Amino acid sequence: MFQKILVAEDLDVINSGIKIALEEIGIKQIDFASYCDEAYAKVKRAYLNNTPYHLIISDLSFQNDGTPQKLKSGEELIEKIRNDFSGLKIVVFSVEDKPYKIQHLYKTLRVDGYVWKNRNGLKELKNAMHAISTSNQFYISPELNTTVHPKQVVEITDFDISLIAFLSRGLLQEEISKNLKEKGILPSSMSAIEKRLKFLKEHFNANNPAHLVAISKDFGLI
């Protein structure tokens, strides 16, 4: 079991619960940071002092209280740590449940675990500690398992990218259908376009077409 852990979380009430949960499974040293810059500084200082952390638990969202920060989110903190301290194990503890976000953290930033911060969150956090300390396998809360399960991986096709690109130009579905027909791209029917756009919005948890375009740009799809 890990003996030295850093928790990056800005809500005291959450920190209190995490502290109790970790102490119950025998973790000896638990440090806390309320800001991402502070968390990174503690990780770096511990490394330079030859007393490195064994694991970091980080939220993704941090409230902006006006304090200047270079690292403004848990995701930025995780990316920085992965670049500078690649061997440090990382567990995300967050209310975020969007599949594309979790897949990015899992596949690109290579976090070791993702625990959903819900009513069973602290119990799952303890399960994650046990699992990660005894295995190199990625741990995820059971409720979110399908977001990274191989059978659930969704392939974004060239057709999908074309639809999103049309949306980014402000085209309506009727106009998209006309453009596809002119280019000889199938399917081009209104019903096929509507069905696929509905699927893409659900997959990316997008609230509307503009949100879908914004998410796609963030991931470099268009």
Side-chain angles (χ1 to χ4, degrees):
M1 182 56 67
F2 307 107
Q3 292 303 311
K4 185 177 182 181
I5 290 179
L6 176 65
V7 179
E9 166 65 60
D10 60 353
L11 298 180
D12 289 342
V13 65
I14 301 297
N15 282 329
S16 297
I18 292 175
K19 185 174 187 294
I20 292 171
L22 296 182
E23 287 177 343
E24 286 176 350
I25 57 175
I27 294 175
K28 302 298 184 182
Q29 182 175 345
I30 308 164
D31 296 333
F32 296 89
S34 299
Y35 300 92
C36 294
D37 284 1
E38 177 191 7
Y40 179 78
K42 286 189 174 183
V43 169
K44 185 174 182 179
R45 189 181 306 117
Y47 176 81
L48 293 175
N49 291 337
N50 292 318
T51 56
Y53 287 101
H54 302 137
L55 178 141
I56 180 171
I57 298 170
S58 180
D59 195 359
L60 295 178
S61 300
F62 290 77
Q63 295 181 358
N64 182 359
D65 63 0
T67 303
Q69 295 289 304
K70 292 181 180 179
L71 302 173
K72 298 178 175 60
S73 70
E75 188 172 334
E76 291 183 14
L77 169 63
I78 291 167
E79 184 173 5
K80 179 70 172 172
I81 289 174
R82 268 291 167 261
N83 288 335
D84 297 349
F85 307 99
S86 59
L88 178 58
K89 290 187 176 293
I90 302 172
V91 170
V92 175
F93 188 46
S94 172
V95 298
E96 178 64 75
D97 62 352
K98 292 182 175 63
Y100 74 89
K101 179 71 71 175
I102 298 171
Q103 288 176 16
H104 174 64
L105 289 160
Y106 167 55
K107 295 179 180 179
T108 305
L109 299 184
R110 306 184 313 280
V111 298
D112 299 276
Y114 194 100
V115 178
W116 194 21
K117 193 189 289 182
N118 62 2
R119 65 179 60 189
N120 295 317
L122 292 176
K123 177 182 176 182
E124 285 302 320
L125 188 60
K126 290 193 285 187
N127 290 340
M129 296 298 100
H130 284 296
I132 295 169
S133 66
T134 58
S135 169
N136 289 323
Q137 291 186 341
F138 176 73
Y139 181 91
I140 188 166
S141 294
E143 300 95 332
L144 300 177
N145 187 52
T146 56
T147 62
V148 297
H149 194 284
K151 292 183 179 179
Q152 298 297 322
V153 172
V154 174
E155 180 182 0
I156 302 302
T157 66
D158 290 339
F159 178 71
D160 296 330
I161 294 174
S162 295
L163 292 182
I164 298 170
F166 283 131
L167 287 178
S168 71
R169 289 161 49 190
L171 272 64
L172 302 175
Q173 290 185 21
E174 293 178 359
E175 296 170 311
I176 293 174
S177 176
K178 181 181 178 180
N179 272 269
L180 292 176
K181 289 176 181 176
E182 290 176 349
K183 296 177 184 295
I185 299 175
L186 296 174
S188 59
S189 67
M190 287 279 292
S191 60
I193 293 169
E194 182 179 4
K195 182 178 179 181
R196 193 60 185 178
L197 287 176
K198 181 177 183 293
F199 168 81
L200 290 170
K201 284 190 290 184
E202 290 176 350
H203 175 67
F204 287 108
N205 275 9
N207 300 322
N208 50 52
H211 191 200
L212 175 60
V213 170
I215 292 171
S216 300
K217 286 183 178 179
D218 286 342
F219 279 86
L221 296 178
I222 59 173

